[in-house]
Amino acid sequence: AVTLEESGGDSVETGGSLTLSCKVSGDSFSSYCMAWFRQTPEKGTEGVAAIGSGGSPTYDDSAKGRFTIHKDDAKKTLFLQMNSLQPNDTAVYTCAAEVRPYNCYIGSWWKTPVQFNTWGQGTRVTVSS
């Protein structure tokens, strides 16, 4: 079975930066669609950014210009570089994968959590004002 393990969550001040990592087991990482979601009690689960097998990223409006999603196929690792962090970025960040036996391409469906069939445990990001 494919497993995802996040790391990199921390507490930072407003304006700070963090890079989250998601290490993926599985032989066909390069073909997966991958995404970062975040969860808060107030807003529930939100899609932050996604990337498909071709490597083209897509972002929620809240992340555009501040966050960068990228992946290293050789290391089977997904990253989320987060800059200019704000208190409303405070959340548990979880990576998700859509594992298919063929190349996966991101479409308008990516913000729907049920479209992803494999999830990590999450890593907490806290941004203080």
Side-chain angles (χ1 to χ4, degrees), residues 2-73:
V2 175
T3 60
L4 313 179
E5 183 175 1
E6 303 93 338
S7 61
D10 205 344
S11 296
V12 298
E13 295 184 346
T14 297
S17 298
L18 283 175
T19 298
L20 306 182
S21 301
C22 175
K23 180 68 175 176
V24 181
S25 71
D27 295 334
S28 302
F29 172 75
S30 63
S31 69
Y32 304 161
C33 283
M34 301 292 302
W36 286 98
F37 287 82
R38 61 187 181 188
Q39 295 92 30
T40 62
E42 298 79 16
K43 297 182 180 180
T45 301
E46 301 178 299
V48 176
I51 190 166
S53 60
S56 295
T58 188
Y59 299 93
D60 180 74
D61 286 346
S62 66
K64 288 179 181 177
R66 300 188 301 130
F67 295 1
T68 302
I69 187 172
H70 62 102
K71 59 176 184 164
D72 186 325
D73 287 341

